[in-house]
Amino acid sequence: LKLKVTGMDLSRMPSGGHQAVQRSGDAWLVEVHPVRPTPSARIGENVSDQVAWLTPDLHIPSNDPAIRKLAASIIGEENKVFAAAQKIRSHVYGLIRGNTTIAILRDAREILKTREGLCRDHAILTCTLLRASGIPTRLATGLVYQDGAFFYHAWVEYWDGSNWIGLDSTRPQEAVTAGHLKLAQGSLEEAFLFFVLDGAKLKVVETRAASSR
């Protein structure tokens, strides 16, 4: 997906594997091209540079014994990053009921207790379980395209040993789409302090189907 955005400074918008952001005159061009995972990557491989994304953080108690036990029960004997991540995504997707009345950021343990929440609750719990499984994970926030419009949304990105791979546990699909437009990434404080596209105009320049190869 390639977008032309006017009326907003996007210099703080993440640019990297998932999307490329480039200034073009008085506008910005955003090309979203989700990264494909490496199915053969094993948990624990090539993570030395991403150790920070394995440690506990605000609302992400990945070292909690109960959280570790739950993560281990979900992935079982699976040692491939992609397959383990999909098991966790599927578990959280089936566990959390929607509740739009929750207005505060909550700890993963509270989310597990109530089993309800918004997209941010899905993301916090998914991030916690992935880290507890030994998979470096960070939070991502931005927009998602659904039913003909963009809505604010949250998901996660996990490290597969080579790339950051988007994962959305609010949906049954394995992969994020080009409709996931990322505005911020990182820790809870970094991801949830994203800027708002107030007054911005988005125009679709190009859409292209991914190769089947």
Side-chain angles (χ1 to χ4, degrees):
L1 175 68
K2 182 180 287 187
L3 298 170
K4 182 178 182 180
V5 183
T6 55
M8 188 77 191
D9 179 7
L10 299 186
S11 58
R12 290 184 294 158
M13 192 170 178
S15 186
H18 177 75
Q19 64 192 27
V21 183
Q22 181 179 0
R23 186 156 198 162
S24 178
D26 59 354
W28 293 83
L29 296 178
V30 181
E31 185 171 348
V32 188
H33 36 63
V35 181
R36 292 183 177 181
T38 305
S40 61
R42 295 180 182 275
I43 296 174
E45 290 181 344
N46 301 320
V47 298
S48 59
D49 293 337
Q50 309 297 343
V51 172
W53 303 110
L54 285 170
T55 58
D57 204 350
L58 179 64
H59 294 329
I60 303 174
S62 54
N63 64 342
D64 183 290
I67 293 286
R68 287 184 176 275
K69 183 177 180 180
L70 174 59
S73 70
I74 294 170
I75 69 172
E77 298 298 319
E78 184 57 64
N79 65 356
K80 301 289 182 61
V81 178
F82 174 76
Q86 290 303 322
K87 285 188 173 185
I88 289 173
R89 178 201 57 77
S90 180
H91 181 85
V92 176
Y93 172 73
L95 182 72
I96 306 298
R97 303 181 304 272
N99 184 343
T100 59
T101 66
I102 298 174
I104 60 172
L105 292 170
R106 300 181 299 152
D107 186 279
R109 288 165 292 204
E110 177 65 18
I111 298 167
L112 271 175
K113 182 179 178 180
T114 63
R115 298 190 176 189
E116 61 181 10
L118 301 170
C119 58
R120 62 174 178 255
D121 298 293
H122 281 80
I124 289 171
L125 180 56
T126 301
C127 181
T128 303
L129 290 169
L130 283 166
R131 288 189 188 183
S133 301
I135 301 173
T137 308
R138 65 190 183 189
L139 296 164
T141 52
L143 305 174
V144 66
Y145 188 78
Q146 181 175 317
D147 300 327
F150 280 102
F151 298 90
Y152 286 103
H153 194 51
W155 61 98
V156 304
E157 292 181 325
Y158 67 88
W159 180 253
D160 74 347
S162 302
N163 297 288
W164 288 103
I165 308 299
L167 190 72
D168 188 345
S169 60
T170 69
R171 299 174 171 218
Q173 293 82 11
E174 289 186 349
V176 298
T177 70
H180 285 73
L181 191 63
K182 186 166 54 170
L183 297 179
Q185 64 188 29
S187 65
L188 187 141
E189 297 98 322
E190 293 166 333
F192 287 93
L193 287 178
F194 62 89
F195 60 96
V196 178
L197 294 180
D198 186 23
K201 293 183 179 180
L202 283 68
K203 179 182 179 181
V204 176
V205 176
E206 179 185 359
T207 59
R208 186 170 65 250
S211 169
S212 59
R213 293 182 298 173

